[in-house]
C-alpha cells in the first residue's frame, strides 16, 4: 500500500510556486519528482560533514559507490543546510536545536510531498549525553520528552499554546533493536530521550557561563529523569517526532551517548574515540536500510 506524505497545510496547493528558501530549491525551478521521486529513506543529522560521510558510507554499503564518486551538495546555493543523495537515500543536515531542525523539516516534508514520494522512513542520527549508560551506547528513542519528562512538544502558534505528541514508531524501534543485535558491535537500548532548549542550563550542566544551582540539585534532577525512563538528552527529537507524526511519516531517533551525565558534564574522550562513537548510529541505520532492501 502506497503511503504518501500528508501535508497539514491547505494553502500550499494554492501557491503558484513553492520556494524552499533554506534549501535553495523551488517547484518553479526544479523537477522534484525527477530529482527525489525514488527516495524511500531520509537520514538527518546536525553536521553537514557528518551527513556527507553518511551518504558516502551508505553508497558503499548498497554497492552504489565508485572510486571516482563525489557527492555534490544539492543545497549548494545556500549555506544553511547540506543535502546529499544516492539511490533511494537522502541525507540532510539540520543544524543544532529545535528552531534549526524545525525549519529544515518544514521544507523537507514539502520536498517529499512535491516529489510524490511514498512509504518514506526518516531517521535522525546524532550524538547525545547519556544518563546511566556507558559512553558509546546507542539509544533508540521510544518517545521524546520535554524537560519536565512529559511526552509532548509545546509551541506558541498565533499567540496560543499548541501541544503535540512526540511518540515514535514502536515497530520501527524494535526493528532497529533487532538490527543492533544482528550487528552485535555496541550496546544499544530503547529508552526515552529528553529534548531540551539549551545545552547548558537546560541540561543541568555545571560548566556554562551561568549556573545558579549546585551539583546535588543537578544529580537529583538527572536521577529523576532516569527514573522516568530517560536514557539520553539532546536538542532536536521533540519537534522531529511531532512533525513526522503530523505528516504521517514513519520515524526514528538513533543517537550515541558521548558521556554519562551522572559522572560529569564535559566530553573528555579522545577525538578518535568520538569519531568511532559517531559512526555507530550510521552503522545501525545503514544496516537497517540494507536489510530493508534485501542486501543483508
Amino acid at each position: 500500500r502506497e503511503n504518501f506524505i500528508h501535508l497539514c497545510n491547505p494553502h500550499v496547493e494554492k501557491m503558484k510556486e513553492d520556494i524552499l528558501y533554506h534549501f535553495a530549491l523551488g517547484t518553479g525551478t526544479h523537477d522534484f519528482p525527477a530529482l527525489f521521486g525514488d527516495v524511500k529513506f531520509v537520514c538527518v543529522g546536525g553536521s553537514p560533514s557528518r551527513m556527507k560521510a553518511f551518504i558516502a558510507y551508505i553508497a558503499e554499503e548498497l554497492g552504489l559507490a565508485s572510486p571516482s564518486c563525489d557527492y555534490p551538495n544539492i543545497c549548494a546555493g545556500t549555506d544553511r543546510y547540506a543535502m546529499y543523495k544516492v539511490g533511494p537515500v537522502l541525507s540532510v543536515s539540520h543544524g543544532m536545536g529545535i528552531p534549526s531542525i524545525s525549519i529544515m523539516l518544514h521544507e523537507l516534508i514539502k520536498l517529499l510531498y512535491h516529489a510524490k514520494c511514498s512509504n518514506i522512513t526518516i531517521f535522525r542520527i546524532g550524538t547525545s549525553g547519556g544518563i546511566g549508560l556507558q559512553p558509546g551506547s546507542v539509544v533508540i528513542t521510544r518517545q521524546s520528552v520535554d524537560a519536565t519528562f512529559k511526552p509532548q512538544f509545546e509551541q506558541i502558534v498565533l499567540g496560543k499554546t499548541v501541544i503535540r505528541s512526540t511518540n515514535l514508531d514502536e515497530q520501527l524501534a524494535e526493528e532497529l533493536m533487532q538490527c543492533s543485535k544482528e550487528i552485535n558491535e555496541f550496546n544499544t537500548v530503547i529508552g526515552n530521550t529528553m529534548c531540551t532548549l539549551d545545552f547548558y542550563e537546560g541540561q543541568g550542566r555545571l560548566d556554562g557561563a551561568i549556573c545558579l544551582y549546585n551539583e546535588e540539585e543537578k544529580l537529583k534532577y538527572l536521577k529523576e529523569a532516569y527514573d522516568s525512563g530517560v536514557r539520553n538528552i539532546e536538542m532536536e527529537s521533540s519537534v522531529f517526532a511531532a512533525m513526522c507524526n503530523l505528516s504521517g511519516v514513519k520515524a526514528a531517533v538513533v543517537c550515541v551517548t558521548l558521556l554519562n551525565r551522572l559522572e560529569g558534564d564535559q566530553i573528555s574522550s579522545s577525538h578518535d574515540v568520538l569519531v568511532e562513537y559517531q559512526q555507530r548510529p550510521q552503522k545501525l541505520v545503514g544496516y537497517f536500510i540494507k536489510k530493508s532492501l534485501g542486501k543483508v
Side-chain angles (χ1 to χ4, degrees), residues 39-60:
V39 169
K40 296 296 178 187
F41 305 96
V42 183
C43 198
V44 305
S47 158
S49 61
R50 199 183 304 155
M51 300 324 292
K52 185 169 186 178
F54 175 77
I55 210 69
Y57 172 80
I58 200 66
E60 191 76 35

Side-chain angles (χ1 to χ4, degrees), residues 3-281:
N3 181 25
F4 292 94
I5 302 291
H6 173 64
L7 204 62
C8 291
N9 183 355
H11 306 289
V12 172
E13 284 299 317
K14 301 171 187 174
M15 295 163 56
K16 184 178 178 182
E17 179 183 5
D18 189 5
I19 298 170
L20 308 185
Y21 172 72
H22 301 89
F23 284 167
L25 299 171
T27 55
T29 53
H30 297 79
D31 185 341
F32 282 47
L35 288 170
F36 305 107
D38 61 338
V39 169
K40 296 296 178 187
F41 305 96
V42 183
C43 198
V44 305
S47 158
S49 61
R50 199 183 304 155
M51 300 324 292
K52 185 169 186 178
F54 175 77
I55 210 69
Y57 172 80
I58 200 66
E60 191 76 35
E61 291 293 296
L62 297 180
L64 299 174
S66 67
S68 60
C69 258
D70 186 33
Y71 304 97
N73 178 8
I74 297 168
C75 298
T78 174
D79 60 0
R80 294 296 182 187
Y81 303 106
M83 181 186 295
Y84 306 95
K85 182 182 181 297
V86 65
V89 183
L90 195 65
S91 179
V92 192
S93 70
H94 60 59
M96 189 182 293
I98 287 172
S100 185
I101 192 174
S102 171
I103 294 165
M104 187 282 289
L105 285 171
H106 274 283
E107 298 189 13
L108 173 63
I109 290 164
K110 290 198 296 174
L111 179 153
L112 298 171
Y113 173 79
H114 291 310
K116 298 180 170 56
C117 293
S118 64
N119 302 331
I120 294 287
T121 305
I122 301 184
F123 305 91
R124 172 174 133 63
I125 59 171
T127 58
S128 63
I131 303 182
L133 295 174
Q134 285 300 308
S137 299
V138 171
V139 179
I140 302 165
T141 303
R142 175 181 289 110
Q143 57 183 191
S144 176
V145 301
D146 64 16
T148 64
F149 319 139
K150 293 176 185 172
Q152 64 184 40
F153 172 62
E154 184 177 306
Q155 186 167 4
I156 306 298
V157 179
L158 300 182
K160 298 176 182 175
T161 300
V162 176
I163 293 176
R164 291 170 176 161
S165 167
T166 53
N167 290 333
L168 287 153
D169 191 286
E170 289 183 25
Q171 183 182 344
L172 179 56
E174 292 294 343
E175 289 172 2
L176 285 163
M177 189 68 191
Q178 178 58 35
C179 286
S180 183
K181 291 176 182 175
E182 292 171 20
I183 296 171
N184 195 29
E185 289 184 17
F186 40 79
N187 180 47
T188 304
V189 301
I190 295 177
N192 291 349
T193 295
M194 184 162 73
C195 183
T196 66
L197 302 177
D198 165 54
F199 185 80
Y200 287 98
E201 287 182 284
Q203 297 187 11
R205 277 183 160 84
L206 300 171
D207 59 342
I210 299 167
C211 180
L212 304 176
Y213 46 85
N214 60 37
E215 185 168 10
E216 183 181 349
E217 291 169 318
K218 164 207 154 176
L219 288 173
K220 181 175 181 290
Y221 175 68
L222 292 179
K223 286 172 182 173
E224 286 173 357
Y226 183 89
D227 290 342
S228 77
V230 172
R231 293 297 176 267
N232 64 333
I233 311 173
E234 47 84 273
M235 295 187 291
E236 293 87 18
S237 60
S238 62
V239 72
F240 174 82
M243 291 182 70
C244 289
N245 282 338
L246 285 169
S247 304
V249 181
K250 192 158 62 169
V253 177
V254 181
C255 289
V256 69
T257 61
L258 301 184
L259 76 168
N260 180 0
R261 287 294 317 287
L262 296 176
E263 296 177 357
D265 294 334
Q266 297 207 326
I267 299 165
S268 57
S269 298
S270 71
H271 172 74
D272 290 346
V273 168
L274 292 176
V275 167
E276 194 279 319
Y277 284 172
Q278 290 174 26
Q279 291 171 349
R280 294 180 179 185

